[in-house]
Amino acid sequence: FQATALDPRQAKPINNLQRSGELTDPQQRTLLDALRAANDRHARTRPFDRDLSARLESFELAYRMQVAAPEAFDIGLETKQTQEAYGLNRQESKDYGRQCLIARRLIERGVRFVQVFADVAKTPGGGVNDVPWDAHSDISVNHGMCARSVDQPTGALLDDLKQRGLLDDTLVIYGGEFGRTSDSQGAKGRDHNPNAFTTWMAGGGIKPGITYGRTDDYAYNITDSDGNMIRPSKDKWTPGTMHIHNLNATILHQLGIDHKKLTYYHNGIERRLTNVHGHVVSDIFA
């Protein structure tokens, strides 16, 4: 169930996907069938080897992707109007816009999880001298360029999903590693703020047009409804606050997963994605 890394900006978004030139499709299918039969016999003697089972499935996944991926990544099938809506005609937004457009095409074709990275520093003509959204040196230059790169494609993606009836069943999550301070770092920059930051969500049964949680006047710390500074607990939910464990539990709930029951084996122990914490915050459900 590991993700497949790809780069929609390249002529071949997925590496090593092309079939060897000397093989026809029937020949490759016969080869894979023989390989699977041999591997299945091998796997039956090792029922607890999850890595082996995953590797066997990867052969079949790669074959299916060889057939389906070229069409899914062909944005030439989209109208000029759609491409321009995603900002493909603008230098600042064309790379990120292409990623968002392909994300919609993948969702449309039943891909269950798509992650898009806003790698603005590599955008042609970007002029960002800092890590995207980091803004240590100059928040105006940094955030201005980032916004010009991602705002239009992001809006187009949401509009497109809604227009096609996909937004109700698609949970869109937009976030980063942490927030920024409101006061300056040096002359024009901003520093890290891990205490209070924003993640927004759309679709997927989330209530539209609301904010949940609050900070002090300087956006430094979390406050309660009376304006008193509090430190949200990962073990006990305070209404009106959203600890990161609660956010993860809530996201998993909207994906149909009970965060208290889903575990994965890691370093000799079954672990939960929210560790032993997390509270589903139903206040934000539509």
Side-chain angles (χ1 to χ4, degrees):
F1 298 102
Q2 292 183 9
T4 298
L6 55 95
D7 189 347
R9 298 168 298 185
Q10 305 301 320
K12 296 178 179 179
I14 303 178
N15 292 330
N16 308 311
L17 192 63
Q18 285 67 38
R19 180 186 295 114
S20 177
E22 63 268 15
L23 281 178
T24 65
D25 181 61
Q27 288 172 330
Q28 185 184 22
R29 183 65 264 172
T30 300
L31 178 64
L32 286 173
D33 289 343
L35 184 64
R36 172 170 281 282
N39 284 330
D40 282 345
R41 287 196 298 272
H42 183 67
R44 279 196 292 272
T45 65
R46 296 162 177 80
F48 300 105
D49 191 339
R50 297 185 181 183
D51 289 340
L52 177 59
S53 299
R55 181 168 296 185
L56 300 185
E57 178 56 31
S58 72
F59 289 119
E60 293 298 323
L61 175 61
Y63 176 76
R64 295 195 299 271
M65 288 172 65
Q66 282 180 329
V67 176
E71 187 274 339
F73 291 117
D74 187 359
I75 62 173
L77 300 174
E78 300 286 342
T79 65
K80 180 181 178 181
Q81 181 182 12
T82 296
Q83 294 187 40
E84 290 184 353
Y86 278 85
L88 270 61
N89 59 323
R90 298 174 58 244
Q91 186 78 347
E92 303 95 331
S93 57
K94 66 179 185 179
D95 280 350
Y96 184 71
R98 183 182 180 89
Q99 290 173 260
C100 286
L101 180 52
I102 288 179
R104 190 268 287 163
R105 291 179 63 82
L106 293 176
I107 292 168
E108 205 172 23
R109 285 155 179 76
V111 177
R112 299 183 66 185
F113 180 86
V114 180
Q115 187 170 11
V116 177
F117 294 92
D119 195 1
V120 182
K122 296 182 180 178
T123 299
V128 177
N129 297 318
D130 204 345
V131 178
W133 302 109
D134 223 17
H136 286 291
S137 58
D138 190 326
I139 190 171
S140 180
V141 170
N142 183 276
H143 279 27
M145 186 61 238
C146 289
R148 288 191 293 274
S149 298
V150 307
D151 276 11
Q152 181 180 340
T154 301
L157 174 61
L158 295 176
D159 288 342
D160 210 358
L161 290 173
K162 185 174 182 179
Q163 181 182 4
R164 295 168 185 269
L166 296 170
L167 192 57
D168 289 343
D169 298 323
T170 304
L171 178 62
V172 181
I173 307 167
Y174 204 105
E177 54 182 348
F178 35 58
R180 317 306 306 172
T181 55
S182 55
D183 59 341
S184 65
Q185 177 186 14
K188 301 179 180 179
R190 297 292 188 271
D191 205 350
H192 300 164
N193 183 10
N195 298 320
F197 54 95
T198 299
T199 296
W200 63 257
M201 295 186 286
I206 299 298
K207 190 181 300 182
I210 68 163
T211 59
Y212 192 83
R214 56 185 62 82
T215 68
D216 59 32
D217 292 341
Y218 300 100
Y220 258 104
N221 294 293
I222 303 298
T223 61
D224 60 20
S225 57
D226 296 321
N228 302 309
M229 189 186 79
I230 59 173
R231 184 72 66 181
S233 170
K234 59 187 178 182
D235 298 311
K236 181 181 179 180
W237 175 56
T238 303
T241 65
M242 183 69 78
H243 190 278
I244 192 66
H245 285 295
N246 295 343
L247 176 62
N248 288 333
T250 304
I251 290 171
L252 288 170
H253 178 275
Q254 290 306 90
L255 298 179
I257 298 171
D258 186 336
H259 75 104
K260 295 181 180 179
K261 295 181 178 180
L262 177 68
T263 63
Y264 66 102
Y265 187 77
H266 180 68
N267 285 347
I269 190 172
E270 292 288 341
R271 297 181 181 273
R272 281 167 37 184
L273 296 180
T274 52
N275 202 339
V276 294
H277 314 290
H279 177 91
V280 176
V281 181
S282 58
D283 294 357
I284 67 171
F285 296 159

